[in-house]
Amino acid sequence: MKLQDCVAIVTGAGRGIGRAIALALAAEGAKIVVNYSRSADAANEVVQQIVADGGEAIAIQADVASADQVTALVKSTLERFGKVDILVNNAGITRDKLLLRMTEEDWDAVLDTNLKGAFLCVKTLAPHFLKQRSGVIINVGSVIGKVGAAGQVNYSASKSGLVGLTKSLAKEMGSRNVRVNAVAPGFIETEMTAVLKPEQIESVTKMVPLNRLGTADNVAKVVAFLCSPDASYIHGEVISIDGGLFM
Ligand code: NAP
């Protein structure tokens, strides 16, 4: 167990990649805060699964785009567990549209959740990590933040922004033993990609050298490694988990 006694907040952990990350960190012994925004039942199921496997977890509702709700999330976590060691900024949404049809609201919704949400979480936890002189932050980016995609200027900008946030924060906080990294998943089978039509899946799969989509577990295993002491000298990196899509 490589994360024994660690406390981890995973944002958007009721479903998809966040759920897999929560379970993977719990399997390494971490106590988990399963953050959710709307999916209360799913988040409670994740908690039940972790507890059934002998771990410790609680579900806490918070919209990561709201400063007040993020403050409450961190406060409730500290009240329950007394500390935080790991933050995984996983919460994310898409509002895909070609630029000419994209509204300001589409732009704001995606940037507020994907990028400002990560900013609010790191800003709220930073004083705690700096005082503690330790911490691990993982930002869940995307291959789309590296290569762009038609119909995703908002999503792509948010994920590129996370790369800048990751690298700048790594430079700011490294000397205080706070490690900051990002992962950049490719196409992963979750509800987010379930909206793709079969022909879109086929054409995406053809672009992936490994010739298949990834699973949430593929991402979660890498995140668990990056959180562990095995990755103690990896800092400011963006690790692709995309079957070779971007290289
Ligand atoms: P998903 O199945 O749609 O899950 C999205 C998660 O984000 C849900 O748990 C959702 O919680 C949470 N969330 C959304 N808005 C939130 C908010 N304002 N506050 C708190 N939580 C919020 O998507 P996924 O595929 O697992 O994606 C997870 C992350 O991986 C995202 O950042 C996504 O951009 C990234 N990613 C995914 C892929 C892919 O192919 N699937 C590829 C690259 C990167 P609620 O249900 O409670 O709202």
Side-chain angles (χ1 to χ4, degrees):
M1 293 258 217
K2 293 186 171 164
L3 301 174
Q4 196 73 53
D5 298 326
C6 289
V7 176
I9 297 176
V10 183
T11 66
R15 303 188 282 119
I17 292 171
R19 175 182 187 277
I21 292 170
L23 295 175
L25 300 186
E28 290 295 342
K31 296 166 187 164
I32 310 293
V33 173
V34 178
N35 160 252
Y36 67 95
S37 174
R38 287 169 299 263
S39 304
D41 291 348
N44 286 324
E45 269 173 39
V46 176
V47 169
Q48 280 165 18
Q49 187 167 338
I50 291 170
V51 172
D53 292 341
E56 221 178 306
I58 53 169
I60 301 181
Q61 196 278 334
D63 174 354
V64 295
S66 156
D68 289 347
Q69 292 185 36
V70 170
T71 300
L73 167 69
V74 171
K75 187 168 175 277
S76 302
T77 302
L78 291 172
E79 276 167 11
R80 169 66 190 261
F81 293 119
K83 63 167 187 161
V84 183
D85 303 287
I86 296 166
L87 167 68
V88 182
N89 285 313
N90 164 80
I93 59 168
T94 52
R95 289 273 185 95
D96 296 353
K97 270 168 211 165
L98 293 173
L99 178 69
L100 291 184
R101 294 204 185 111
M102 190 173 286
T103 63
E104 188 178 348
E105 204 269 325
D106 293 326
W107 173 271
D108 286 345
V110 170
L111 270 289
D112 282 357
T113 301
N114 299 9
L115 186 56
K116 185 178 160 194
F119 162 74
L120 290 174
C121 289
V122 295
K123 182 161 170 59
T124 309
L125 270 170
H128 175 77
F129 283 159
L130 293 174
K131 195 166 159 216
Q132 187 172 263
R133 286 202 163 256
S134 70
V136 174
I137 296 168
I138 308 290
N139 296 316
V140 179
S142 168
V143 67
I144 301 303
K146 294 180 175 179
V147 301
Q152 292 199 302
V153 294
N154 50 0
Y155 184 76
S156 177
S158 73
K159 295 299 184 179
S160 298
L162 278 179
V163 174
L165 184 150
T166 300
K167 289 180 181 289
S168 299
L169 201 59
K171 289 188 176 177
E172 267 189 46
M173 298 184 78
S175 66
R176 307 291 277 275
N177 195 32
V178 179
R179 281 197 304 113
V180 189
N181 288 293
V183 291
F187 289 91
I188 308 296
E189 286 170 340
T190 66
E191 285 173 42
M192 190 175 271
T193 46
V195 296
L196 295 174
K197 297 181 187 118
E199 57 270 27
Q200 288 175 305
I201 299 273
E202 201 186 324
S203 75
V204 161
T205 307
K206 276 189 193 145
M207 293 190 299
V208 179
L210 282 183
N211 205 32
R212 55 185 155 83
L213 267 56
T215 65
D217 207 39
N218 291 151
V219 179
K221 289 269 163 52
V222 177
V223 171
F225 162 72
L226 287 173
C227 290
S228 79
D230 289 343
S232 62
Y233 207 54
I234 300 178
H235 187 54
E237 277 298 327
V238 182
I239 310 285
S240 294
I241 310 163
D242 63 6
L245 183 58
F246 175 79
M247 60 169 113

